[in-house]
Amino acid sequence: MKIRFWGVRGSIPVSLSRQQVQAKLSAAIQRISVKDLESADTRERFIASLPEWMFGTVGGNTSCVQIVTDNGCEILLDGGTGLRVLGKDSPLPADKHYDLVLSHFHWDHIQGIPFFCPLYNHDVSVDIYSAYPAMERILRAQMDRPYFPVAWDVFKSSVAFHTVAQGQEFLLKNGEVKVYSCKMNHPGNSYSYSFVCGGKKLVYATDIELNAHELENRDARRAHVFKDADVLIFDSMYTAEEAKLKTNFGHSAFMSAIDFATAWNVKNLYLYHYEPAYDDKKLDAILLAARRYADYISGGKVSVHLAVEGAEIEL
């Protein structure tokens, strides 16, 4: 299966400010030499040599991840503003069907749904999965006046809702994908999911506050979700210092995410759900610190990455 990131921010979408763009340009210019300007090739090599935070961005859309199975079927994880971009830029799957799996209903995880173009297509069908029986009422409510100009019933696609139970396996894509869920520590709760397909395991675990109890919890439901994951996409919103200041906000420090991944024998950890105030330079520094910490804690067994909009993982 292939995994693609469409939205990686937490809380609220953000865009690059004028000051941030200027800072990137200034930092690049300070590194350039006369030899770097000699030809088109030298200029391209210079650009390629720059740190990623200078010539790119992790992105500013809120939570949305796409899974494409080996048979070309699509599963969408959360409906933040990244879902809008997915609907515009990604072609319809061959079967014109999506499974949308929702972790919870805080606004940054559903605010892209009214802007998801395929929902306005008669030929499309969407199955929505959540642990919350009231999911249809909740999703309709965000489009009620005065919050939105048109109501849920403006959608033309066929939409069905399915309540899932933690600790009980369910199947997607005619049994091609096995899914398992468990409840995590977050205000109002949030549910993590594992997806097993072709012998590989992806875990999507956003909006989690890891305290001592959470780190030590080894119950069977969590083991089924997290243990031996090939890829773990995990809430890493804060630094340790900021996490201490935001107790009960429902999010984790990147160091806690590494402790968690190490405890569950995870191979690849993708930091995710970034604090909207963190710019690309700070996130690059966090990645470097995270990799050093992971090498120390896990002995190099956990590989740490940043979730970046547009980036793909192939399992």
Side-chain angles (χ1 to χ4, degrees):
M1 59 180 163
K2 292 183 179 179
I3 302 110
R4 184 181 176 95
F5 295 103
W6 292 91
V8 299
R9 289 281 174 176
S11 299
I12 191 169
V14 295
S15 60
L16 283 173
S17 68
R18 179 177 178 177
Q19 291 78 13
Q20 288 172 344
V21 173
Q22 288 177 339
K24 288 174 182 281
L25 290 172
S26 177
I29 289 170
Q30 290 174 23
R31 291 169 176 247
I32 204 165
S33 69
V34 174
K35 288 185 177 181
D36 294 321
L37 301 173
E38 287 179 349
S39 67
D41 287 341
T42 60
R43 290 192 291 272
E44 288 300 318
R45 283 198 295 272
F46 169 73
I47 292 172
S49 72
L50 293 172
E52 288 190 17
W53 73 265
M54 286 190 194
F55 67 85
T57 179
V58 300
N61 283 295
T62 61
S63 304
C64 183
V65 177
Q66 176 189 37
I67 298 172
V68 181
T69 72
D70 294 340
N71 291 326
C73 298
E74 295 198 16
I75 303 168
L76 312 181
L77 313 180
D78 276 341
T81 59
L83 185 65
R84 181 193 70 86
V85 186
L86 186 158
K88 288 171 60 66
D89 295 348
S90 182
L92 286 176
D95 61 359
K96 297 180 181 177
H97 176 265
Y98 297 94
D99 286 321
L100 174 59
V101 180
L102 299 174
S103 62
H104 64 308
F105 290 87
H106 285 164
W107 198 28
D108 50 328
H109 295 262
I110 63 171
Q111 63 193 141
I113 292 175
F115 301 93
F116 185 45
C117 294
L119 284 170
Y120 298 86
N121 186 331
H122 283 285
D123 298 325
V124 169
S125 61
V126 181
D127 284 287
I128 301 177
Y129 295 82
S130 165
Y132 297 78
M135 69 187 93
E136 181 176 1
R137 176 183 61 78
I138 295 168
L139 292 177
R140 284 178 173 272
Q142 79 159 337
M143 296 178 68
D144 285 347
R145 293 182 180 179
Y147 309 114
F148 206 74
V150 294
W152 177 272
D153 291 330
V154 74
F155 294 146
K156 303 293 192 299
S157 66
S158 173
V159 180
F161 297 90
H162 309 271
T163 304
V164 302
Q166 68 162 332
Q168 294 183 14
E169 182 181 86
F170 64 99
L171 304 177
L172 297 178
K173 307 308 180 188
N174 296 317
E176 184 183 3
V177 182
K178 297 179 180 180
V179 188
Y180 207 87
S181 69
C182 64
K183 183 168 65 175
M184 304 299 290
N185 181 38
H186 186 71
N189 299 323
S190 180
Y191 289 79
S192 297
Y193 297 89
S194 63
F195 301 85
V196 177
C197 180
K200 298 293 184 178
K201 184 177 184 178
L202 162 72
V203 178
Y204 180 73
T206 186
D207 291 60
I208 299 163
E209 184 165 354
L210 289 174
N211 52 32
H213 173 72
E214 291 289 299
L215 285 167
E216 294 169 3
N217 189 337
R218 295 289 183 274
D219 70 25
R221 290 174 179 174
R222 294 197 177 188
H224 207 105
V225 171
F226 294 106
K227 188 177 180 182
D228 300 329
D230 294 286
V231 169
L232 169 61
I233 300 169
F234 198 92
D235 180 342
S236 310
M237 194 163 187
Y238 301 134
T239 62
E241 293 78 10
E242 187 160 14
K244 290 179 182 178
L245 298 174
K246 295 187 176 181
T247 302
N248 298 325
F249 276 49
H251 301 287
S252 295
F254 69 87
M255 294 174 70
S256 297
I258 293 166
D259 292 336
F260 190 86
T262 301
W264 287 114
N265 194 37
V266 168
K267 297 179 181 67
N268 292 280
L269 169 66
Y270 281 78
L271 308 182
Y272 184 71
H273 202 271
Y274 309 124
E275 161 64 47
Y278 291 177
D279 62 15
D280 293 305
K281 186 176 182 179
K282 178 154 187 171
L283 289 171
D284 184 69
I286 284 173
L287 177 61
L288 294 175
R291 285 176 169 168
R292 287 195 296 268
Y293 183 71
D295 286 343
Y296 173 72
I297 292 296
S298 75
K301 293 181 180 179
V302 177
S303 181
V304 182
H305 317 266
L306 288 181
V308 175
E309 284 183 30
E312 288 188 353
I313 308 166
E314 186 158 0
L315 283 180

